[in-house]
């Protein structure tokens, strides 16, 4: 079973929901960079105050800060049994940093949730987070196309396979699709 996993996809593709569900079930650490930032903003920490305007506008927080946050988080005890990274890497420099942190073999599976854009906008409007206004949503989708889609091509260029998952259907059905992919990884190396 894959234990060091990236879950990718546009905002509203269901990454956070799926990562939380699967991590709880499989004892993996759910590392959501959006949650880390929202927690810092809630707590009013220095980092939280620094990133608030950027997050609320739907832009990306700087690579250097994000890489540092993820590096520290992955060094924590709770990440040692395995993790699912949700919301990172979102830019090519972040992906480069991650590969140098973990090594190429350090990423066992990359999942890409595919959801049509009309569905995404509806889901995000229904979610109602402060960064989920119609305008910010449009902007976040543009940022995704411009900054994050190249990450997929970069990972592939580095020999990292990406598995596309159909992100339409019930939460349970999508979770089943993901779990069967995770189960298939490293199967030949594990005792039956
Ligand atoms: P999310 O919950 O993943 O949709 O993230 C919410 C917001 O947090 C994003 O719109 C960005 O402003 C910021 N954010 C989360 N992860 C990253 C990242 N890896 N790099 C830059 N900004 C991020």
């Amino acid at each position: 079973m894959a234990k060091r996993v990236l879950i990718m996809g546009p905002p509203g593709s269901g990454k956070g929901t799926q990562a939380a569900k699967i991590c709880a079930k499989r004892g993996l650490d759910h590392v959501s960079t959006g949650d880390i930032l929202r927690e810092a903003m809630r707590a009013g920490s220095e980092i939280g105050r620094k990133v608030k305007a950027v997050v609320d506008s739907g832009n990306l927080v700087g690579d250097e800060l994000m890489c540092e946050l993820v590096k520290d988080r992955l060094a924590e005890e709770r990440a040692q049994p395995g993790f699912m990274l949700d919301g990172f890497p979102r830019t090519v420099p972040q992906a480069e940093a991650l590969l140098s942190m973990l090594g190429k073999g350090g990423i066992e599976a990359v999942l890409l949730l595919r959801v049509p854009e009309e569905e995404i906008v509806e889901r995000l409007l229904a979610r109602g987070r402060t960064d989920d206004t119609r305008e910010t949503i449009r902007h976040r989708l543009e940022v995704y196309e411009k900054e994050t889609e190249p990450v997929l091509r970069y990972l592939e260029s580095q020999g990292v396979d990406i598995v596309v998952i159909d992100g339409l259907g019930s939460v349970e059905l999508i979770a089943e699709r993901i779990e069967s992919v995770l189960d298939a990884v490293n199967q030949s190396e594990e005792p039956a």
Side-chain angles (χ1 to χ4, degrees), residues 2-136:
K3 297 193 175 86
R4 280 169 300 180
V5 180
L6 310 188
I7 187 161
M8 302 191 57
S13 57
K15 302 186 294 288
T17 304
Q18 290 299 330
K21 188 176 168 74
I22 289 166
C23 286
K25 188 166 166 194
R26 300 200 164 205
L28 300 174
D29 186 16
H30 178 196
V31 180
S32 157
T33 47
D35 284 351
I36 292 172
L37 296 174
R38 280 185 290 276
E39 179 51 39
M41 295 191 293
R42 226 182 347 257
S45 70
E46 196 187 328
I47 287 177
R49 289 195 303 271
K50 227 165 39 187
V51 302
K52 186 172 182 350
V54 177
V55 171
D56 284 344
S57 68
N59 286 311
L60 296 182
V61 173
D63 288 332
E64 205 175 320
L65 175 60
M66 293 313 302
C67 292
E68 211 172 298
L69 288 174
V70 167
K71 193 171 188 181
D72 290 348
R73 186 66 169 69
L74 294 184
E76 283 181 30
E77 199 50 45
R78 56 183 157 161
Q80 301 321 303
F83 54 81
M84 193 176 273
L85 256 178
D86 156 19
F88 186 98
R90 253 192 173 78
T91 65
V92 170
Q94 291 179 14
E96 288 169 344
L98 186 67
L99 283 187
S100 74
M101 258 179 245
L102 300 175
K104 249 176 244 176
I107 298 171
E108 295 173 309
V110 180
L111 311 168
L112 174 63
L113 284 174
R114 180 152 288 164
V115 176
E117 187 164 323
E118 315 81 72
E119 168 81 11
I120 282 176
V121 175
E122 258 173 58
R123 285 187 191 181
L124 291 175
L125 285 172
R127 187 166 75 173
R129 233 164 58 185
T130 58
D131 58 344
D132 283 340
T133 65
R134 210 173 261 283
E135 198 170 318
T136 319

